[in-house]
Amino acid sequence: MKRLLFFAALLLLNFQAIAQMVQKGTITGMIIDSATNKAIDYATITLFEEGKIKSINGALADEKGKFSLKDVSYGNYRIVFDFLGYKQKEITTITIKSAVLNLGTIALLPSNTSLSTVEIVAEKPLIENKIDRLVYNAEKDVTAMGGNATDVLRKVPLLSVDIDGNVSLRGDQNVKILINGKPSGAMSTNVGDALKMIPADQISNVEVITSPSAKYDGEGTSGIINIITKKKTVAGINGSFSAGVGTRQNSTNANLNIRKGKLGIVANAGVNWMWPQITTNTFSQVDKNGNSLLFQSGENNTTRGGGRGSVGIDYDFDKKNLFTTTLTVNKFDMDFDGTSQSIFKNQSILASNKVQNTGSNGLDWSAGYTHKFDKEKQELIFAGQFSRNESNTNYTTLYTNGDRMNEYGLNKGINDELTFQVDYVQPLKKTATLEFGAKTILRDINSNVLLEEIKDGAYVLNQDRSYNFNYHQDVMATYTSLNIQLSKNYQLMAGLRAEQTLINGESAGSLQAFKNEYLNILPSAIISRKIGRMSSLKLSYNQRIQRPSLFYLNPFRNTSDPVNQSQGNPTLKPELAHNFELAYATFYKGMVLNTSVYYRLTNDVIESLFTNQTNPDGSGQPIVLQSFDNIGRNKSLGLNIFASISPIKPLTLRSNLSLFTYSIQANKVSDNLSTQTDQTFLMYRAFVNASYVIKAGFTAETFFILNAPKRTFQGTSPSFNMWSLGLKKEVFNKKASIGLNILDPFNETKTFKSEVFTPNYNQKSSFAVPFRSFGLTFSWNFGKMNFKDAPRKGRGIKNDDQKKEEAQQGTVTQ
């Protein structure tokens, strides 16, 4: 009996020991800087069994310095805390014998040794999915070195860029482009030229916001593109320099970051220029019987260049108050000297020589103040911005035959934009935040056209073709947005935005003043579902608006071309779009897959209308007039698939395919001007990208684009295809790199064609540009960093609310 009791007691003790062995708990805490008491994000935590040197567990602190080590068996341990720029800290003995062991606040001492010329390599995924946007991390791009922003945007899933630099999101050019979350005055005239002033080496990532929340301006029926430039957020003095020279384009760019204590300064300057190039163009129009109505051909010698510079300052008054300000200036200039010949109905011929200069100068100044409250996530933001863009186009046309007088034209434009904005964020619970705010945008645009006819060396003002036009657009907006973590796997973001628009235009000429006013209520909602650890599903809806800019509204006719003329329409209504999207994203064994199905219903679509008229100059010659109207309703159904896979470690393959429809239901006014209405057309955008990491610091990359022609109300716009190759070699201990870029080696020139179909005539136009290019690039990173302080982020101005002018075909090259 005694022996039995002894074995029972021994068994009970074993059960207790086993139970204690299998019991597990969690170790938590927070890591801060001992000097500033600021959280140290992404510090390393390593756990060791007491008396042993091999680690058994570890973690990284989150962006708030908090960490958690889960599934730690009961027992005795030592724990080590480490982060670059700080002294390592060790707790030699800790004992876990409960479900949670909270170590409290762990303070790390800054290291006395400053780091010199270090490189931090953080392997970001190429594509990141967030609840309202897709993020493309462009810093790994090899073939874009020495290029500009258009070269980067062409590689971003969902986007496409045509030969003129017009950017489309899912086939729709009604997209707003921001730089670091703010608008730029340079984008108000010609988006293609403005993007060329941003060097590719300066771009950190591109955000494609397909489901903007209510806090964003309602503009951009297809969404928002936010280009984020590179900026160091660590203390010290550091920077970079890059340069590229090629047979087609050249560029230089320099960045400097200075950060000490509470003050941070970021400066950037870059220029780009192209060698002179010869472009040719043709235009023809025939009636339904094949008889020629108009024919025009020409040849231009074009040069272009531009520059962009910026200085940004941020200052932390204390833990709760942050001030930021940024000044950006830009300049663009283009010259061309060309000849053209126009034939009217196979009878009269008009030949001319035209010399033209187009330039623009602009600045954007913004400032913001952020106040953070004691409660986490609660903050108040005040922001303002002033933008000015001055454009100047002057030309001289000399006619070599006919009785038309030579002429000199000058067009000066000033676009001023003043914005005030206030935003407030209120956390409701740990899993919910409420945001609301108000915004005012005041736009004043002046366009002054002077046209003089030259006769016997004397310049005589033509009153009928000269004018001064003033346009004012004021937008007042307010919004409310709610973000809720419904459960571990479900997140909801919903909001409502109201925008009141006041428009008036006036002229010193014969045009009567006009006014317009409208109120838009714009709802938005997104719900996302996390599936496992690596997958997510998202369903969203939003309503967006696209206001016409001055290019579409200016009622005065541009008569500088004897055949092709244009005139705006001040009575245009804004486009309104309903967007629905279902998206799925997953990551599995090195493969990234992003798919989305979407439907867009756009009312009051604004497009060009081409009609034949008689020249109002009294010559009786026919002309083609491009005007604009709300042509009807478009229903578009689309599918986008992006995939990335690494079949072997050095090789990465990426591909994107977009399929979408264009189906216009024309209104009664527009229906008799086209043969393309009430039909459904399928279009596609696709690219294939491959990169291979070679030994000894070499990386090779190739990229191929294939785009279908864009459908329009009356016809098609040019397709765009391109093949590029790149090779990069890291040198100087990875502080610098040199590269070779090749663009379309087998196509010296490319021809781009467009067509217009009407019940009475068909017309075709084409232009050919030099395309093949070879280029060499160099980039260098320099400086010191100590990683002690990082600035707090604050939101600023985000104006994204006007339908912009499309680049004119043939005037902007790739």
Side-chain angles (χ1 to χ4, degrees):
M1 184 66 179
K2 292 181 179 179
R3 184 176 299 179
L4 183 61
L5 292 174
F6 173 77
F7 280 114
L10 183 63
L11 185 61
L12 180 61
L13 290 174
N14 286 336
F15 280 148
Q16 290 177 341
I18 293 172
Q20 186 174 3
M21 288 177 59
V22 298
Q23 283 184 298
K24 296 182 179 182
T26 300
I27 302 173
T28 63
M30 179 178 179
I31 303 176
I32 65 170
D33 184 309
S34 63
T36 65
N37 290 327
K38 290 183 178 179
I40 301 177
D41 50 358
Y42 306 115
T44 302
I45 303 95
T46 309
L47 187 69
F48 301 85
E49 289 185 7
E50 191 175 36
K52 296 185 179 181
I53 60 173
K54 185 177 180 179
S55 64
I56 62 170
N57 202 342
L60 290 177
D62 62 17
E63 66 274 7
K64 300 174 184 176
K66 297 180 180 179
F67 66 90
S68 177
L69 295 175
K70 298 180 179 179
D71 298 325
V72 181
S73 300
Y74 283 9
N76 298 324
Y77 301 91
R78 67 183 177 93
I79 190 167
V80 176
F81 306 91
D82 198 9
F83 190 67
L84 194 61
Y86 292 83
K87 292 181 179 180
Q88 187 182 86
K89 184 168 185 175
E90 180 178 357
I91 301 177
T92 56
T93 301
I94 63 171
T95 300
I96 181 167
K97 53 184 178 181
S98 59
V100 178
L101 174 60
N102 188 350
L103 299 179
T105 301
I106 309 298
L108 299 187
L109 292 171
S111 173
N112 293 327
T113 304
S114 63
L115 301 176
S116 174
T117 318
V118 298
E119 178 186 14
I120 304 301
V121 179
E123 286 296 328
K124 292 182 179 180
L126 181 73
I127 300 295
E128 296 180 81
N129 276 287
K130 301 185 178 181
I131 187 172
D132 61 344
R133 71 195 65 194
L134 178 147
V135 181
Y136 176 81
N137 293 306
E139 295 175 287
K140 297 180 182 180
D141 198 340
V142 175
T143 57
M145 284 180 58
N148 53 58
T150 57
D151 300 309
V152 175
L153 294 182
R154 286 189 174 115
K155 296 188 177 183
V156 179
L158 308 178
L159 303 184
S160 60
V161 185
D162 65 18
I163 182 63
D164 294 314
N166 298 314
V167 183
S168 298
L169 171 54
R170 292 171 170 169
D172 189 346
Q173 289 183 358
N174 292 332
V175 58
K176 180 64 179 182
I177 300 177
L178 305 176
I179 309 297
N180 296 320
K182 303 177 182 67
S184 172
M187 299 287 179
S188 63
T189 53
N190 191 306
V191 171
D193 290 332
L195 291 174
K196 286 178 172 58
M197 292 187 284
I198 305 174
D201 298 328
Q202 189 188 342
I203 298 175
S204 173
N205 57 67
V206 178
E207 297 178 339
V208 182
I209 307 173
T210 56
S211 305
S213 67
K215 69 182 179 183
Y216 286 96
D217 289 342
E219 190 69 12
T221 52
S222 62
I224 298 170
I225 300 171
N226 188 18
I227 300 174
I228 307 296
T229 58
K230 294 179 180 178
K231 178 182 178 181
K232 295 291 193 302
T233 58
V234 293
I237 300 176
N238 52 81
S240 65
F241 171 80
S242 63
V245 59
T247 59
R248 185 171 56 92
Q249 64 179 8
N250 315 276
S251 65
T252 59
N253 184 69
N255 292 280
L256 181 64
N257 299 270
I258 304 172
R259 188 168 297 281
K260 184 176 182 180
K262 298 180 178 181
L263 178 66
I265 301 174
V266 179
N268 170 266
V271 296
N272 68 85
W273 68 99
M274 299 182 67
W275 302 113
Q277 60 182 19
I278 302 295
T279 63
T280 60
N281 58 81
T282 62
F283 172 87
S284 64
Q285 187 183 97
V286 297
D287 62 22
K288 291 301 181 178
N289 296 321
N291 301 314
S292 177
L293 300 176
L294 292 168
F295 179 82
Q296 188 181 59
S297 62
E299 181 178 281
N300 299 318
N301 185 356
T302 306
T303 60
R304 69 181 67 240
R308 184 176 184 271
S310 65
V311 176
I313 298 174
D314 60 80
Y315 186 80
D316 280 303
F317 293 100
D318 51 40
K319 296 179 182 179
K320 297 181 180 180
N321 298 281
L322 169 68
F323 173 77
T324 61
T325 184
T326 302
L327 175 65
T328 302
V329 295
N330 55 76
K331 179 178 176 59
F332 171 78
D333 195 75
M334 180 180 69
D335 293 285
F336 81 83
D337 185 347
T339 60
S340 68
Q341 179 175 272
S342 305
I343 304 175
F344 305 91
K345 295 184 178 180
N346 289 325
Q347 297 175 5
S348 58
I349 299 176
L350 187 63
S352 64
N353 177 267
K354 186 176 184 178
V355 178
Q356 178 172 304
N357 171 265
T358 300
S360 65
N361 300 280
L363 67 87
D364 304 303
W365 175 68
S366 62
Y369 167 76
T370 301
H371 174 72
K372 294 181 179 293
F373 297 85
D374 292 334
K375 193 172 184 179
E376 187 179 354
K377 295 183 180 180
Q378 184 182 10
E379 61 182 19
L380 178 66
I381 305 108
F382 296 95
Q385 175 165 310
F386 174 74
S387 297
R388 164 166 284 204
N389 192 76
E390 299 182 7
S391 60
N392 189 335
T393 299
N394 62 83
Y395 71 90
T396 300
T397 302
L398 304 178
Y399 293 96
T400 57
N401 70 329
D403 55 2
R404 189 172 175 125
M405 285 196 296
N406 301 327
E407 61 186 48
Y408 167 79
L410 175 64
N411 185 346
K412 289 185 176 182
I414 297 178
N415 186 340
D416 288 338
E417 188 172 288
L418 183 62
T419 304
F420 300 100
Q421 179 175 334
V422 58
D423 300 277
Y424 177 72
V425 182
Q426 173 65 50
L428 302 178
K429 295 181 179 180
K430 289 184 178 180
T431 59
T433 56
L434 176 67
E435 298 182 69
F436 53 89
K439 185 175 185 177
T440 298
I441 307 174
L442 308 175
R443 295 188 176 96
D444 295 295
I445 303 173
N446 175 264
S447 180
N448 187 9
V449 172
L450 175 70
L451 195 136
E452 297 176 324
E453 295 175 335
I454 309 171
K455 186 174 183 180
D456 299 328
Y459 290 77
V460 180
L461 179 67
N462 187 320
Q463 295 282 1
D464 295 332
R465 298 172 64 189
S466 302
Y467 66 86
N468 184 276
F469 179 63
N470 293 300
Y471 173 74
H472 310 280
Q473 182 189 91
D474 299 333
V475 180
M476 282 74 71
T478 183
Y479 76 90
T480 300
S481 179
L482 182 64
N483 193 333
I484 306 177
Q485 189 72 41
L486 298 173
S487 66
K488 180 180 179 181
N489 294 323
Y490 284 93
Q491 184 177 359
L492 172 67
M493 182 184 293
L496 195 67
R497 187 178 185 91
E499 295 189 348
Q500 177 76 30
T501 306
L502 305 175
I503 294 175
N504 66 79
E506 55 190 12
S507 170
S510 58
L511 177 72
Q512 291 185 350
F514 65 89
K515 292 185 178 181
N516 197 2
E517 178 179 348
Y518 44 85
L519 173 67
N520 299 102
I521 307 297
L522 308 173
S524 62
I526 313 169
I527 186 167
S528 66
R529 166 73 156 87
K530 184 179 178 182
I531 304 173
R533 296 182 59 188
M534 298 296 182
S535 302
S536 64
L537 188 67
K538 178 182 75 174
L539 178 64
S540 68
Y541 164 78
N542 59 74
Q543 186 174 342
R544 308 285 293 166
I545 185 175
Q546 192 76 47
R547 300 177 184 86
S549 61
L550 181 64
F551 172 75
Y552 293 90
L553 296 168
N554 191 340
F556 291 95
R557 183 176 297 190
N558 182 347
T559 59
S560 60
D561 189 307
V563 171
N564 291 282
Q565 301 181 7
S566 62
Q567 184 174 15
N569 179 1
T571 65
L572 288 174
K573 296 182 290 184
E575 296 181 0
L576 288 173
H578 300 269
N579 297 290
F580 302 85
E581 179 187 12
L582 177 64
Y584 174 75
T586 188
F587 176 83
Y588 179 73
K589 292 184 178 180
M591 183 186 74
V592 177
L593 179 64
N594 291 270
T595 62
S596 61
V597 178
Y598 62 92
Y599 174 75
R600 181 185 303 119
L601 172 62
T602 307
N603 296 311
D604 296 319
V605 173
I606 300 173
E607 280 198 22
S608 299
L609 290 179
F610 293 92
T611 56
N612 275 20
Q613 296 188 10
T614 300
N615 200 320
D617 64 359
S619 64
Q621 294 172 335
I623 62 166
V624 177
L625 179 64
Q626 178 191 23
S627 58
F628 308 95
D629 207 344
N630 298 106
I631 60 173
R633 170 183 294 185
N634 180 34
K635 298 179 180 179
S636 181
L637 180 65
L639 167 69
N640 191 89
I641 302 174
F642 172 82
S644 175
I645 188 171
S646 296
I648 57 177
K649 189 174 181 180
L651 177 65
T652 302
L653 302 174
R654 307 179 186 100
S655 182
N656 189 82
L657 173 65
S658 290
L659 300 172
F660 54 93
T661 61
Y662 175 87
S663 178
I664 280 289
Q665 296 177 345
N667 54 40
K668 294 181 180 180
V669 176
S670 305
D671 192 43
N672 62 350
L673 298 175
S674 174
T675 61
Q676 308 292 294
T677 60
D678 299 322
Q679 299 183 53
T680 299
F681 300 96
L682 179 65
M683 290 176 286
Y684 58 84
R685 305 280 189 270
F687 72 70
V688 177
N689 179 217
S691 60
Y692 190 88
V693 179
I694 310 171
K695 294 180 180 180
F698 281 96
T699 303
E701 186 170 347
T702 184
F703 182 73
F704 179 72
I705 300 174
L706 181 64
N707 292 342
K710 177 190 173 184
R711 281 285 172 176
T712 64
F713 169 64
Q714 290 183 309
T716 62
S717 294
S719 61
F720 182 77
N721 308 310
M722 184 184 76
W723 179 37
S724 64
L725 303 98
L727 180 66
K728 183 178 75 170
K729 172 69 169 72
E730 293 178 330
V731 295
F732 303 144
N733 195 27
K734 296 185 178 182
K735 301 184 188 95
S737 66
I738 56 176
L740 170 66
N741 294 328
I742 303 172
L743 181 65
D744 266 11
F746 305 115
N747 293 293
E748 182 178 0
T749 62
K750 277 194 173 183
T751 302
F752 299 88
K753 300 178 180 180
S754 59
E755 296 179 296
V756 169
F757 305 99
T758 75
N760 300 319
Y761 63 85
N762 296 335
Q763 69 184 38
K764 297 181 179 180
S765 59
S766 68
F767 63 95
V769 298
F771 209 82
R772 178 173 60 199
S773 70
F774 301 88
L776 295 173
T777 61
F778 172 77
S779 65
W780 172 49
N781 297 308
F782 60 88
K784 298 179 181 180
M785 298 173 281
N786 63 27
F787 297 90
K788 292 181 182 178
D789 297 309
R792 298 196 298 270
K793 296 180 180 179
R795 284 206 309 272
I797 292 294
K798 296 180 178 68
N799 287 357
D800 35 32
D801 66 325
Q802 283 196 100
K803 181 181 179 72
K804 293 298 186 292
E805 168 188 358
E806 298 177 10
Q808 296 302 293
Q809 297 173 5
T811 62
V812 182
T813 61
Q814 78 288 357

